[in-house]
């Protein structure tokens, strides 16, 4: 199992409104390696949306993939990172009513 995160995280506020934070050591080295290995083989050209349709852009060169957490498996790395992200948003960004569950936006890797 990856090492536990420190009980206190170092956070830099990059912008107050809308809030943008840089959270140091949010994910462990092991979690990052897992996510890279999970996402790189599945990445496809990023999609742009026009109305309700998605299309590959002729001017964007990025690749991305959505990672959907398995809320039935609390040991799943994607699930742990998503729960940590939501806990941070509730506590630090003061989004008190934010709840992680089915139907939330997936974690996106670019």
């Amino acid at each position: 199992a990856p090492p536990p995160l420190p009980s206190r995280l170092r956070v830099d506020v990059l912008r107050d409104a809308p809030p943008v934070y840089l959270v140091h050591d949010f994910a462990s080295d092991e979690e990052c390696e897992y996510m890279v290995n999970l996402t790189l083989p599945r990445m496809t050209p990023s999609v742009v949306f026009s109305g309700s349709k998605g299309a590959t852009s002729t001017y964007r060169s990025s690749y991305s993939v959505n990672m959907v957490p398995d809320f039935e498996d609390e040991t799943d790395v994607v699930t742990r990172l998503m729960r940590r992200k939501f806990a941070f948003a509730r506590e630090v960004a003061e989004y008190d009513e934010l709840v992680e569950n089915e139907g939330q936006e997936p974690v996106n890797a670019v």
Side-chain angles (χ1 to χ4, degrees):
L5 284 176
S7 60
R8 297 181 73 96
L9 295 171
R10 194 173 106 224
V11 178
D12 295 331
V13 178
L14 302 180
R15 183 172 50 203
D16 290 320
V20 177
Y21 302 99
L22 172 61
V23 183
H24 299 270
D25 301 318
F26 183 80
S28 69
D29 290 344
E30 291 85 359
E31 289 169 327
C32 291
E33 183 177 345
Y34 176 88
M35 296 298 277
V36 167
N37 291 332
L38 174 70
T39 59
L40 280 181
R42 298 174 44 215
M43 287 192 158
T44 59
S46 297
V47 175
V48 294
F49 281 88
S50 175
S52 62
K53 294 182 120 184
T56 303
S57 171
T58 57
Y59 58 89
R60 289 182 69 184
S61 59
S62 65
Y63 285 73
S64 62
V65 65
N66 287 334
M67 298 163 290
V68 179
D70 178 0
F71 288 113
E72 300 295 317
D73 182 4
E74 293 298 327
T75 65
D76 178 64
V77 173
V78 177
T79 302
R80 287 197 322 255
L81 288 171
M82 188 154 195
R83 292 213 187 276
R84 194 177 305 149
K85 174 184 79 167
F86 277 84
F88 177 86
R90 281 190 299 270
E91 184 173 330
V92 176
E94 299 178 353
Y95 292 121
D96 298 330
E97 296 177 16
L98 191 61
V99 178
E100 67 271 21
N101 57 24
E102 300 295 330
Q104 288 288 350
E105 293 289 327
V107 178
N108 186 268
V110 179

